[in-house]
Amino acid sequence: MANVSVITVFVLSGLNETVNHRSIIFFLSLLCYCTILVVNVSLIMIIILDNSLHEPMYILLCAFFMNGLYGTTGFYPKFLWDLLSPVHVISYSGCLVQALVMYSFACSDLSILALMAYDRYLAICRPLEYHSVMSKHRVTKLAFFSWLMPFCIVATNIYLTSRVKLCSSYIGMLFCVNWSIVQLACFPEETTINGIIANITIIIYVLHGLFIVWSYLYLIKTCTSSLENRAKFMQTCVPHLISLFTFLFTVLFDGMMMRLSSKDFPQMLINFIAIEFLIIPPIMNPLIYGFKLTKIQNKIVGVVYYTYILYVLHNSQPL
């Protein structure tokens, strides 16, 4: 069955109530996106260029930061353009691509967090097997798979959405997500298979979350009996837990708001809740790992010190 939708352009109405504040929002959004780019790219380059950081945990962190760049790049450029434009529209195909990026970014984050939990479980609970199980080659393949599998699952959801006939072109959000497009269906019975696949997707990633929770509960139980393991847990697992709770809080809050579609909340609040998973985790995660993990912290201090020395030498005047 071919795509029978006659809609070629969607109107994003989420910005309609921000006319008087667009300059401030544009400045803050641009500052936020630049910060995300700087901190994530900096840590990615530090991990790639430093051979001592070519370890499983840091390879996964590199994939984590790359995924943050992937997701935010699917939102901020278009959002910044809309803030400068009097008309907020997006093409039908562009809307589907943006929905694909948003969902695959969120699902990939959870997949990578699950890999990190498994990595820490092996490192602390089964250290003798760690290097044989989590080799660099295997970790690289697992990191790639943790992005490819969510991408394929979400692409299936988006493909099913593309086959639904739509009777409206108005999306009451700042960006396109699959659920907001499905709600525009002319015939709700056409979306039954969409709902089934969407629920299967949710179950898959709920299982990811349960695995992560089980892993860390087991780690906490194991680490209480050993001072060395306790120190290792505090050093390497606490940042993962903070990332996990930040991710779950932002995504679950956004999902609840999207499903409820409550008219009792101000549009500005709804907008912020919708994009908080594109603001808080991409900024917090690099900062958490940068300050908490000793190896990365030392490299950052070294780079800053080296840059300062070069600056001093460059600006020093000969006697």
Side-chain angles (χ1 to χ4, degrees):
M1 177 180 176
N3 179 16
V4 293
S5 174
V6 296
I7 291 179
T8 58
V9 173
F10 288 106
V11 178
L12 302 173
S13 58
L15 279 174
N16 289 348
E17 296 186 14
T18 61
V19 177
N20 299 326
H21 308 286
R22 285 189 192 170
S23 297
I24 297 174
I25 296 174
F26 177 84
F27 172 77
L28 293 176
S29 300
L30 182 60
L31 179 63
C32 182
Y33 186 45
C34 289
T35 303
I36 290 170
L37 289 176
V38 169
V39 294
N40 282 277
V41 170
S42 297
L43 289 181
I44 289 170
M45 295 306 297
I46 286 174
I47 293 172
I48 290 176
L49 296 177
D50 193 324
N51 291 330
S52 68
L53 297 179
H54 292 179
E55 300 174 5
M57 182 174 68
Y58 298 104
I59 293 173
L60 293 176
L61 282 178
C62 189
F64 199 40
F65 301 146
M66 286 180 175
N67 191 56
L69 291 177
Y70 163 72
T72 52
T73 301
F75 168 73
Y76 280 98
K78 177 66 172 68
F79 179 60
L80 292 169
W81 175 263
D82 284 343
L83 288 170
L84 298 176
S85 174
V87 181
H88 313 125
V89 296
I90 185 170
S91 67
Y92 180 85
S93 58
C95 191
L96 294 179
V97 170
Q98 188 175 56
L100 172 63
V101 172
M102 295 294 98
Y103 276 83
S104 60
F105 154 68
C107 293
S108 294
D109 254 13
L110 199 54
S111 293
I112 296 171
L113 285 169
L115 276 177
M116 289 179 176
Y118 181 62
D119 173 79
R120 291 301 87 201
Y121 162 75
L122 288 176
I124 294 175
C125 301
R126 302 168 68 179
L128 297 179
E129 303 174 28
Y130 179 73
H131 290 290
S132 60
V133 175
M134 299 296 282
S135 63
K136 293 179 185 178
H137 183 64
R138 181 172 296 171
V139 169
T140 303
K141 289 198 297 185
L142 287 173
F144 176 74
F145 184 74
S146 70
W147 178 84
L148 181 63
M149 186 181 76
F151 184 87
C152 292
I153 292 173
V154 174
T156 302
N157 283 268
I158 299 300
Y159 171 71
L160 292 172
T161 299
S162 72
R163 295 163 61 90
V164 175
K165 184 177 181 179
L166 306 179
C167 286
S168 175
S169 60
Y170 288 88
I171 296 177
M173 298 185 65
L174 301 175
F175 57 93
C176 296
V177 293
N178 191 48
W179 181 252
S180 63
I181 303 172
V182 171
Q183 286 182 312
L184 304 178
C186 297
F187 309 106
E189 59 271 14
E190 286 187 351
T191 65
T192 302
I193 186 65
N194 297 69
I196 293 172
I197 299 301
N199 287 331
I200 292 173
T201 303
I202 291 171
I203 291 171
I204 290 172
Y205 288 99
V206 166
L207 292 176
H208 277 61
L210 292 176
F211 169 75
I212 296 170
V213 171
W214 173 84
S215 298
Y216 284 116
L217 287 176
Y218 188 84
L219 282 171
I220 291 171
K221 179 182 177 181
T222 302
C223 292
T224 54
S225 59
S226 168
L227 187 61
E228 180 183 352
N229 284 342
R230 198 179 310 161
K232 188 182 295 186
F233 178 87
M234 293 300 295
Q235 179 65 31
T236 62
C237 294
V238 169
H240 298 337
L241 285 173
I242 296 173
S243 295
L244 174 64
F245 289 135
T246 302
F247 172 81
L248 292 178
F249 173 78
T250 55
V251 171
L252 290 177
F253 206 39
D254 177 44
M256 288 173 57
M257 185 65 69
M258 190 186 306
R259 296 281 175 168
L260 292 174
S261 299
S262 176
K263 303 297 183 182
D264 299 328
F265 296 98
Q267 184 64 43
M268 289 285 286
L269 176 61
I270 295 174
N271 288 344
F272 176 75
I273 292 173
I275 65 172
E276 61 180 344
F277 80 104
L278 294 161
I279 298 174
I280 300 174
I283 292 178
M284 276 192 61
N285 290 336
L287 295 178
I288 290 169
Y289 291 107
F291 285 110
K292 186 64 179 174
L293 298 182
T294 305
K295 281 190 176 182
I296 292 182
Q297 184 180 0
N298 291 340
K299 297 301 176 184
I300 293 174
V301 172
V303 169
V304 172
Y305 181 74
Y306 180 72
T307 303
Y308 173 74
I309 293 298
L310 288 179
Y311 174 79
V312 172
L313 293 176
H314 177 73
N315 290 278
S316 61
Q317 299 295 328
L319 295 175

